[in-house]
Amino acid sequence: MKKILVLTDFSDTAQQAARAAVNVAGKTHANIILLNTFVSQPALSEYGASPWVAEQLLWEDEGKEKLDFLKEQLERFVQHLPPGDHHPSIHSQQEVGRLSGQVKELLQKETVEMIVMGSRSGNAWEHLLMGSDTNGVINHSNRPVLIIPASHTLNNLKKVTFATDFDSADIKAVRYLTHLGRLFNFSLEIVHVRLWGKEAMPAEQSVDFKKHVAKFNFPNISYQDIGGKELIKRLNHLCSANGSDMLVLVHDQHSLLNQLFKKNNTQTLIEQQKLPVMIIPASIAVN
């Protein structure tokens, strides 16, 4: 059975993201894997017990206790899912090593539908989930990564905004979103983003893109255009104005996301965006 992989550092934001993952699992008929990682520190001395060893053991023991507690919380939350939703089972595991590496390895072993994690809240995170690790997860994932900010549980997903430059590679992402749209019953607004300084897109490219999207027979699709400078702010303002519940972008080295943030990194968007953000890899396989 497919899984939702939930990354947790036990912060308040990560726990909120885990609750959101339960809602996603209920709609997508998936079970949940709770994953916590920490880095093993080198010993400072060859003689006697190192304080780093004791600290590692303490992290491990505390992590296991917190995982068990979070699992119990989520299992109670499962019982309150709407009638007709799948009641996911929850498996927890703790691994030693860099987060991105552990995620990459787990994706090779499990049938993962989606990765869910909390966004940085501006507070110190307990162990690993720093900005670089968020980027590492996105760069190593072949599945969508859903980043949840504080105070969101995705229990009322009615409208989704997908930002695209109408690249042909984005068609697979639209197909994936129409699949989710039928499960969540949300409307999809496709926003064509015109990058400042780039030549105008040929009219036939827009027509071809919309023809491909029409083949998915998804009834609740609309189109918008934005362009100019400060596109991050414009995109955020549009999401606020149109009542969007989630922003979606595609990621690879040639994607709009990469072009928008070539002078920054993906974390910039995540820190400024108050809505949940889904990053879909351009290489996603869609059934």
Side-chain angles (χ1 to χ4, degrees):
M1 190 172 188
K2 58 188 175 182
K3 311 291 196 323
I4 303 293
L5 175 58
V6 182
L7 310 181
T8 184
D9 63 349
F10 312 117
S11 65
D12 290 343
T13 307
Q15 293 187 53
Q16 194 77 14
R19 293 186 64 178
V22 171
N23 286 323
V24 173
K27 297 296 184 185
T28 59
H29 295 269
N31 291 326
I32 289 176
I33 300 175
L34 279 175
L35 176 65
N36 171 253
T37 65
F38 66 93
V39 175
S40 177
Q41 298 287 352
L44 295 180
S45 172
E46 296 180 1
Y47 305 98
S50 164
W52 287 108
V53 174
E55 185 174 358
Q56 177 180 328
L57 293 174
L58 179 62
W59 280 359
E60 187 173 357
D61 289 342
E62 287 183 352
K64 288 179 180 178
E65 290 180 5
K66 291 179 179 179
L67 272 175
D68 289 341
F69 182 70
L70 179 57
K71 179 182 176 182
E72 291 176 3
Q73 284 185 313
L74 296 181
E75 286 173 341
R76 290 194 292 270
F77 190 58
V78 166
Q79 302 307 313
H80 297 284
L81 287 173
D85 280 12
H86 169 66
H87 281 208
S89 63
I90 300 172
H91 170 73
S92 61
Q93 63 185 77
Q94 185 183 57
E95 301 292 346
V96 180
R98 298 292 298 177
L99 178 62
S100 58
Q102 293 298 331
V103 168
K104 184 177 181 180
E105 183 175 335
L106 198 148
L107 289 175
Q108 295 172 350
K109 297 177 181 178
E110 300 283 353
T111 305
V112 173
E113 170 70 20
M114 186 186 303
I115 299 171
V116 178
M117 63 192 302
S119 67
R120 290 192 68 180
S121 62
N123 299 320
W125 286 20
E126 289 188 9
H127 297 314
L128 263 182
L129 291 183
M130 300 299 180
S132 60
D133 286 295
T134 303
N135 290 321
V137 169
I138 291 170
N139 290 329
H140 285 86
S141 176
N142 60 3
R143 301 305 302 164
V145 179
L146 178 59
I147 301 114
I148 306 290
S151 304
H152 279 272
T153 57
L154 282 187
N155 58 358
N156 190 31
L157 189 58
K158 297 299 182 184
K159 187 166 189 175
V160 170
T161 296
F162 175 53
T164 173
D165 57 359
F166 283 170
D167 187 272
S168 58
D170 292 359
I171 293 293
K172 289 189 293 183
V174 176
R175 184 177 180 184
Y176 180 78
L177 290 172
T178 59
H179 167 68
L180 287 185
R182 290 185 172 92
L183 296 175
F184 283 87
N185 194 31
F186 61 66
S187 62
L188 177 62
E189 183 161 85
I190 299 177
V191 179
H192 176 228
V193 177
R194 292 174 282 110
L195 295 169
W196 178 256
K198 293 199 69 174
E199 294 183 3
M201 179 188 61
E204 57 268 22
Q205 184 176 343
S206 172
V207 172
D208 288 344
F209 187 93
K210 292 179 179 180
K211 282 183 178 180
H212 276 92
V213 171
K215 294 177 182 178
F216 302 144
N217 295 316
F218 188 73
N220 300 316
I221 291 182
S222 59
Y223 288 88
Q224 279 272 14
D225 285 271
I226 62 170
K229 297 181 179 179
E230 297 186 325
L231 283 174
I232 299 173
K233 291 183 179 179
R234 289 175 181 264
L235 197 52
N236 286 337
H237 176 75
L238 176 64
C239 288
S240 176
N242 70 9
S244 182
D245 300 302
M246 184 168 72
L247 173 64
V248 183
L249 299 103
V250 171
H251 178 58
D252 72 355
Q253 60 178 338
H254 305 296
S255 67
L256 170 66
L257 177 66
N258 189 60
Q259 295 179 68
L260 281 174
F261 302 102
K262 61 184 177 182
K263 294 184 179 179
N264 300 290
N265 58 32
T266 307
Q267 191 68 23
T268 306
L269 171 65
I270 295 165
E271 289 173 348
Q272 294 187 11
Q273 182 66 33
K274 296 180 180 180
L275 294 177
V277 177
M278 178 181 286
I279 310 297
I280 299 180
S283 60
I284 186 173
V286 183
N287 296 325

